[in-house]
Amino acid sequence: DQQVKQNSPSLSVQEGRISILNCDYTNSMFDYFLWYKKYPAEGPTFLISISSIKDKNEDGRFTVFLNKSAKHLSLHIVPSQPGDSAVYFCAAINFYNQGGKLIFGQGTELSVKP
Amino acid sequence: GAGVSQSPSNKVTEKGKDVELRCDPISGHTALYWYRQSLGQGLEFLIYFQGNSAPDKSGLPSDRFSAERTGGSVSTLTIQRTQQEDSAVYLCASSPMGGRGDYGYTFGSGTRLTVV
């Protein structure tokens, strides 16, 4: 049962334009949603998160939107830069019921072209 | 240490052999997690240690997999009688007090296991 899904394995965007990465989930009990960024041969690094009681969180060029009714979240990167090229993982946590276990999506590989 | 340290960074083993993967979490972090990423797949949860509580082993794929955490710090993931489908990058992460939803946790760089 894939509780967190990223249906686009890859995305290519021109430098300076907006990148939109999407994520869907099935478990309405998730407390927080997080985005991680992963470069080859490195571990994932935390990027941004959003609480289930909010619908938007912004940090510099990165904004995460949460639509609870649709069980959908998205990560917007504006403007996109070549250094943003990486695999992005969406993750969710049901902290109070399942502790710190993060459930990850399959990842989306973002390529930002100069 | 400054970050989560995993060793070895790469491991090639013959099918049927046992392997041990090591994780040194960030000092003071009470929670430790193991995940793995198979080729073309997402991050698959394996096991979770939180302080002195019984570990959450719900993600271990078979009884060939086991993990322990000694003294609330270093953890070892052991795979017995390795199979080719065990080939993956094994990632360890740690966090303070079971993690907080708003920042998740810190990952190591992983151990790339190849079973030939």
Side-chain angles (χ1 to χ4, degrees), chain B residues 26-42:
Chain B
I26 292 173
S27 178
H29 279 192
T30 60
L32 187 146
Y33 315 80
W34 284 97
Y35 285 78
R36 74 175 176 181
Q37 184 181 17
S38 303
L39 189 62
Q41 301 296 312

PDB file of all heavy atoms in Angstrom, chain B residues 26-42:
ATOM      1  N   ILE B  26      24.147  11.272  15.107  1.00  0.00           N
ATOM      2  CA  ILE B  26      24.586  12.528  15.712  1.00  0.00           C
ATOM      3  C   ILE B  26      24.530  12.379  17.228  1.00  0.00           C
ATOM      4  O   ILE B  26      23.541  11.848  17.769  1.00  0.00           O
ATOM      5  CB  ILE B  26      23.711  13.691  15.225  1.00  0.00           C
ATOM      6  CG1 ILE B  26      23.970  13.938  13.728  1.00  0.00           C
ATOM      7  CG2 ILE B  26      23.962  14.956  16.030  1.00  0.00           C
ATOM      8  CD1 ILE B  26      23.048  14.955  13.090  1.00  0.00           C
ATOM      9  N   SER B  27      25.564  12.842  17.890  1.00  0.00           N
ATOM     10  CA  SER B  27      25.638  12.712  19.337  1.00  0.00           C
ATOM     11  C   SER B  27      24.430  13.367  20.002  1.00  0.00           C
ATOM     12  O   SER B  27      24.064  14.503  19.682  1.00  0.00           O
ATOM     13  CB  SER B  27      26.920  13.373  19.849  1.00  0.00           C
ATOM     14  OG  SER B  27      26.995  13.307  21.257  1.00  0.00           O
ATOM     15  N   GLY B  28      23.800  12.620  20.898  1.00  0.00           N
ATOM     16  CA  GLY B  28      22.645  13.151  21.620  1.00  0.00           C
ATOM     17  C   GLY B  28      21.312  12.848  20.973  1.00  0.00           C
ATOM     18  O   GLY B  28      20.263  13.029  21.604  1.00  0.00           O
ATOM     19  N   HIS B  29      21.331  12.395  19.730  1.00  0.00           N
ATOM     20  CA  HIS B  29      20.065  12.043  19.075  1.00  0.00           C
ATOM     21  C   HIS B  29      19.562  10.717  19.623  1.00  0.00           C
ATOM     22  O   HIS B  29      20.271   9.710  19.600  1.00  0.00           O
ATOM     23  CB  HIS B  29      20.259  11.947  17.561  1.00  0.00           C
ATOM     24  CG  HIS B  29      20.243  13.266  16.879  1.00  0.00           C
ATOM     25  ND1 HIS B  29      20.158  13.392  15.509  1.00  0.00           N
ATOM     26  CD2 HIS B  29      20.285  14.531  17.374  1.00  0.00           C
ATOM     27  CE1 HIS B  29      20.145  14.670  15.195  1.00  0.00           C
ATOM     28  NE2 HIS B  29      20.227  15.380  16.300  1.00  0.00           N
ATOM     29  N   THR B  30      18.329  10.711  20.083  1.00  0.00           N
ATOM     30  CA  THR B  30      17.798   9.505  20.715  1.00  0.00           C
ATOM     31  C   THR B  30      17.108   8.581  19.722  1.00  0.00           C
ATOM     32  O   THR B  30      16.886   7.420  20.007  1.00  0.00           O
ATOM     33  CB  THR B  30      16.803   9.867  21.827  1.00  0.00           C
ATOM     34  OG1 THR B  30      15.731  10.621  21.248  1.00  0.00           O
ATOM     35  CG2 THR B  30      17.481  10.689  22.908  1.00  0.00           C
ATOM     36  N   ALA B  31      16.750   9.090  18.572  1.00  0.00           N
ATOM     37  CA  ALA B  31      16.047   8.268  17.586  1.00  0.00           C
ATOM     38  C   ALA B  31      16.963   7.949  16.413  1.00  0.00           C
ATOM     39  O   ALA B  31      17.730   8.805  15.968  1.00  0.00           O
ATOM     40  CB  ALA B  31      14.795   8.982  17.079  1.00  0.00           C
ATOM     41  N   LEU B  32      16.862   6.732  15.930  1.00  0.00           N
ATOM     42  CA  LEU B  32      17.696   6.281  14.812  1.00  0.00           C
ATOM     43  C   LEU B  32      16.842   5.435  13.880  1.00  0.00           C
ATOM     44  O   LEU B  32      16.025   4.621  14.341  1.00  0.00           O
ATOM     45  CB  LEU B  32      18.886   5.463  15.338  1.00  0.00           C
ATOM     46  CG  LEU B  32      19.950   5.041  14.319  1.00  0.00           C
ATOM     47  CD1 LEU B  32      21.326   5.031  14.972  1.00  0.00           C
ATOM     48  CD2 LEU B  32      19.639   3.699  13.697  1.00  0.00           C
ATOM     49  N   TYR B  33      17.026   5.645  12.590  1.00  0.00           N
ATOM     50  CA  TYR B  33      16.191   5.003  11.573  1.00  0.00           C
ATOM     51  C   TYR B  33      17.079   4.378  10.500  1.00  0.00           C
ATOM     52  O   TYR B  33      18.130   4.920  10.163  1.00  0.00           O
ATOM     53  CB  TYR B  33      15.290   6.042  10.879  1.00  0.00           C
ATOM     54  CG  TYR B  33      14.598   7.012  11.799  1.00  0.00           C
ATOM     55  CD1 TYR B  33      15.272   8.115  12.314  1.00  0.00           C
ATOM     56  CD2 TYR B  33      13.259   6.847  12.145  1.00  0.00           C
ATOM     57  CE1 TYR B  33      14.636   9.014  13.163  1.00  0.00           C
ATOM     58  CE2 TYR B  33      12.613   7.746  12.977  1.00  0.00           C
ATOM     59  CZ  TYR B  33      13.308   8.820  13.483  1.00  0.00           C
ATOM     60  OH  TYR B  33      12.676   9.711  14.312  1.00  0.00           O
ATOM     61  N   TRP B  34      16.608   3.298   9.954  1.00  0.00           N
ATOM     62  CA  TRP B  34      17.221   2.697   8.771  1.00  0.00           C
ATOM     63  C   TRP B  34      16.204   2.685   7.642  1.00  0.00           C
ATOM     64  O   TRP B  34      15.042   2.284   7.838  1.00  0.00           O
ATOM     65  CB  TRP B  34      17.673   1.262   9.035  1.00  0.00           C
ATOM     66  CG  TRP B  34      18.927   1.128   9.839  1.00  0.00           C
ATOM     67  CD1 TRP B  34      19.027   0.905  11.189  1.00  0.00           C
ATOM     68  CD2 TRP B  34      20.270   1.167   9.352  1.00  0.00           C
ATOM     69  NE1 TRP B  34      20.351   0.813  11.564  1.00  0.00           N
ATOM     70  CE2 TRP B  34      21.136   0.967  10.463  1.00  0.00           C
ATOM     71  CE3 TRP B  34      20.843   1.355   8.093  1.00  0.00           C
ATOM     72  CZ2 TRP B  34      22.519   0.951  10.332  1.00  0.00           C
ATOM     73  CZ3 TRP B  34      22.217   1.334   7.967  1.00  0.00           C
ATOM     74  CH2 TRP B  34      23.043   1.131   9.082  1.00  0.00           C
ATOM     75  N   TYR B  35      16.656   3.107   6.471  1.00  0.00           N
ATOM     76  CA  TYR B  35      15.871   3.053   5.248  1.00  0.00           C
ATOM     77  C   TYR B  35      16.736   2.404   4.174  1.00  0.00           C
ATOM     78  O   TYR B  35      17.964   2.308   4.319  1.00  0.00           O
ATOM     79  CB  TYR B  35      15.483   4.460   4.768  1.00  0.00           C
ATOM     80  CG  TYR B  35      14.388   5.120   5.558  1.00  0.00           C
ATOM     81  CD1 TYR B  35      14.636   5.693   6.801  1.00  0.00           C
ATOM     82  CD2 TYR B  35      13.091   5.172   5.060  1.00  0.00           C
ATOM     83  CE1 TYR B  35      13.615   6.300   7.520  1.00  0.00           C
ATOM     84  CE2 TYR B  35      12.063   5.784   5.770  1.00  0.00           C
ATOM     85  CZ  TYR B  35      12.345   6.344   6.997  1.00  0.00           C
ATOM     86  OH  TYR B  35      11.332   6.928   7.711  1.00  0.00           O
ATOM     87  N   ARG B  36      16.109   1.995   3.096  1.00  0.00           N
ATOM     88  CA  ARG B  36      16.899   1.575   1.949  1.00  0.00           C
ATOM     89  C   ARG B  36      16.245   2.093   0.675  1.00  0.00           C
ATOM     90  O   ARG B  36      15.032   2.311   0.613  1.00  0.00           O
ATOM     91  CB  ARG B  36      17.058   0.055   1.880  1.00  0.00           C
ATOM     92  CG  ARG B  36      15.845  -0.721   1.441  1.00  0.00           C
ATOM     93  CD  ARG B  36      16.191  -2.199   1.292  1.00  0.00           C
ATOM     94  NE  ARG B  36      15.004  -2.977   0.966  1.00  0.00           N
ATOM     95  CZ  ARG B  36      15.015  -4.291   0.797  1.00  0.00           C
ATOM     96  NH1 ARG B  36      16.140  -4.978   0.933  1.00  0.00           N
ATOM     97  NH2 ARG B  36      13.894  -4.928   0.504  1.00  0.00           N
ATOM     98  N   GLN B  37      17.108   2.322  -0.309  1.00  0.00           N
ATOM     99  CA  GLN B  37      16.643   2.774  -1.612  1.00  0.00           C
ATOM    100  C   GLN B  37      17.163   1.809  -2.657  1.00  0.00           C
ATOM    101  O   GLN B  37      18.374   1.760  -2.914  1.00  0.00           O
ATOM    102  CB  GLN B  37      17.124   4.195  -1.914  1.00  0.00           C
ATOM    103  CG  GLN B  37      16.583   4.742  -3.224  1.00  0.00           C
ATOM    104  CD  GLN B  37      17.073   6.124  -3.534  1.00  0.00           C
ATOM    105  OE1 GLN B  37      18.047   6.606  -2.972  1.00  0.00           O
ATOM    106  NE2 GLN B  37      16.389   6.801  -4.456  1.00  0.00           N
ATOM    107  N   SER B  38      16.257   1.059  -3.228  1.00  0.00           N
ATOM    108  CA  SER B  38      16.623   0.164  -4.314  1.00  0.00           C
ATOM    109  C   SER B  38      16.604   0.952  -5.616  1.00  0.00           C
ATOM    110  O   SER B  38      15.998   2.019  -5.699  1.00  0.00           O
ATOM    111  CB  SER B  38      15.650  -1.019  -4.385  1.00  0.00           C
ATOM    112  OG  SER B  38      15.614  -1.707  -3.145  1.00  0.00           O
ATOM    113  N   LEU B  39      17.229   0.402  -6.652  1.00  0.00           N
ATOM    114  CA  LEU B  39      17.359   1.101  -7.920  1.00  0.00           C
ATOM    115  C   LEU B  39      15.992   1.519  -8.449  1.00  0.00           C
ATOM    116  O   LEU B  39      15.097   0.690  -8.603  1.00  0.00           O
ATOM    117  CB  LEU B  39      18.062   0.198  -8.937  1.00  0.00           C
ATOM    118  CG  LEU B  39      18.459   0.862 -10.255  1.00  0.00           C
ATOM    119  CD1 LEU B  39      19.462   1.975  -9.999  1.00  0.00           C
ATOM    120  CD2 LEU B  39      19.027  -0.161 -11.218  1.00  0.00           C
ATOM    121  N   GLY B  40      15.827   2.815  -8.689  1.00  0.00           N
ATOM    122  CA  GLY B  40      14.585   3.316  -9.252  1.00  0.00           C
ATOM    123  C   GLY B  40      13.422   3.368  -8.280  1.00  0.00           C
ATOM    124  O   GLY B  40      12.291   3.645  -8.680  1.00  0.00           O
ATOM    125  N   GLN B  41      13.699   3.106  -7.016  1.00  0.00           N
ATOM    126  CA  GLN B  41      12.626   3.090  -6.021  1.00  0.00           C
ATOM    127  C   GLN B  41      12.761   4.241  -5.039  1.00  0.00           C
ATOM    128  O   GLN B  41      13.801   4.902  -4.967  1.00  0.00           O
ATOM    129  CB  GLN B  41      12.660   1.765  -5.252  1.00  0.00           C
ATOM    130  CG  GLN B  41      12.505   0.543  -6.125  1.00  0.00           C
ATOM    131  CD  GLN B  41      11.159   0.494  -6.811  1.00  0.00           C
ATOM    132  OE1 GLN B  41      10.115   0.687  -6.195  1.00  0.00           O
ATOM    133  NE2 GLN B  41      11.159   0.263  -8.115  1.00  0.00           N
ATOM    134  N   GLY B  42      11.712   4.452  -4.277  1.00  0.00           N
ATOM    135  CA  GLY B  42      11.757   5.455  -3.222  1.00  0.00           C
ATOM    136  C   GLY B  42      12.475   4.932  -2.003  1.00  0.00           C
ATOM    137  O   GLY B  42      13.116   3.880  -2.027  1.00  0.00           O
TER     138      GLY B  42
END
